[in-house]
Amino acid sequence: MRLFYRNCVLRLSLIPLSLFIATNSLATESPAAVPLYTESELIALINKNTHLARVRADDCQLVQDIEARANKMALPSYQFLYGDMLAYNVCVDRNVELGVYYMRKAAEQGLAAALEQLGRYYDTGRLVQQDKAMAITYLREASSQGNLKAQLRLVKLFNDGYGSPRDFEDAYRWLFNSMVADKATHKKIERALTKLAQKMPDSVVARARLPI
């Protein structure tokens, strides 16, 4: 038995130390696999504007999966995510043209965040040439889905003299029926609606204030 034990010790001592080091290094340094985001999870990240931070936090491990779901599967939330990654050089080489292309693809499928973002970009001239009419087109669609940021920007555009009076009633109705807990935002909405109401007949304002 003692002879058997000494032979085992001798054989173990012959195993190169580098093998133990390499094995231990792999065990400690290999990053854990990152699960792919579900559609609902990704949309929640987009709505909180934390989607790009999440991709960075995940060490850019999901780039190929994100691209596949944006390109081959044409999922709007992934189109939006991939478009933002391209536009802002997050885990991929910057390509603004391709990034805006994927944002538009997401907007065409009705993703409210994409509609709002493109409307905002056309309003301010970010990444695209400033175009107030195009901004209103995108913001109106996002507003109809209940996107508060789009509703506020749309009403501001109308208050600044852009757009058609035919759209005032819908814009007023959407923003008036929004539910907001933040007091500062609530006051901002109140001021915007008061200004827009001055551009509308009293009967139209009364109709727009009815519950949706």
Side-chain angles (χ1 to χ4, degrees):
M1 177 63 71
R2 291 180 180 177
L3 180 60
F4 174 77
Y5 176 77
R6 285 197 298 272
N7 287 339
C8 288
V9 172
L10 178 61
R11 287 171 185 171
L12 286 172
S13 67
L14 294 176
I15 297 176
L17 180 61
S18 59
L19 180 59
F20 286 105
I21 295 173
T23 303
N24 184 62
S25 177
L26 286 172
T28 58
E29 294 182 7
S30 296
V34 176
L36 194 61
Y37 325 124
T38 65
E39 279 257 73
S40 59
E41 180 184 12
L42 179 53
I43 289 172
L45 291 170
I46 290 169
N47 290 338
K48 292 186 292 185
N49 196 30
T50 58
H51 52 295
L52 293 180
R54 176 64 178 270
V55 174
R56 291 191 188 97
D58 290 336
D59 296 323
C60 304
Q61 293 185 51
L62 300 176
V63 172
Q64 291 183 339
D65 291 317
I66 292 168
E67 182 181 4
R69 279 157 179 76
N71 189 21
K72 297 178 181 178
M73 299 177 67
L75 298 175
S77 58
Y78 277 93
Q79 288 174 328
F80 182 81
L81 173 60
Y82 190 52
D84 259 9
M85 290 166 61
L86 288 163
Y88 295 104
N89 191 31
V90 175
C91 299
V92 293
D93 293 334
R94 191 175 194 188
N95 188 329
V96 172
E97 183 178 359
L98 188 59
V100 173
Y101 166 83
Y102 277 106
M103 292 177 202
R104 286 200 179 106
K105 285 294 184 182
E108 288 170 4
Q109 296 201 63
L111 185 68
L115 290 162
E116 184 278 326
Q117 180 159 292
L118 284 171
R120 175 164 30 96
Y121 285 0
Y122 275 109
D123 180 25
T124 61
R126 185 172 188 174
L127 301 185
V128 296
Q129 295 301 308
Q130 191 176 54
D131 187 332
K132 299 293 187 178
M134 187 67 75
I136 289 170
T137 297
Y138 280 113
L139 292 171
R140 196 183 193 287
E141 290 302 314
S143 295
S144 69
Q145 295 187 41
N147 186 288
L148 180 60
K149 290 190 293 184
Q151 292 168 353
L152 280 166
R153 188 172 292 271
L154 181 64
V155 169
K156 184 179 185 304
L157 281 167
F158 291 158
N159 284 335
D160 290 344
Y162 298 100
S164 169
R166 293 176 296 180
D167 293 326
F168 291 177
E169 182 178 352
D170 282 340
Y172 189 103
R173 178 181 296 108
W174 293 327
L175 187 55
F176 179 79
N177 284 281
S178 62
M179 304 295 176
V180 178
D182 180 69
K183 291 183 178 179
T185 303
H186 194 275
K187 285 291 184 183
K188 185 177 181 180
I189 291 171
E190 186 178 2
R191 290 192 297 268
L193 290 174
T194 299
K195 190 173 181 179
L196 184 59
Q198 295 170 1
K199 299 174 178 287
M200 303 161 60
D202 291 343
S203 60
V204 176
V205 173
R207 188 170 62 215
R209 292 170 70 92
L210 295 173
I212 295 178

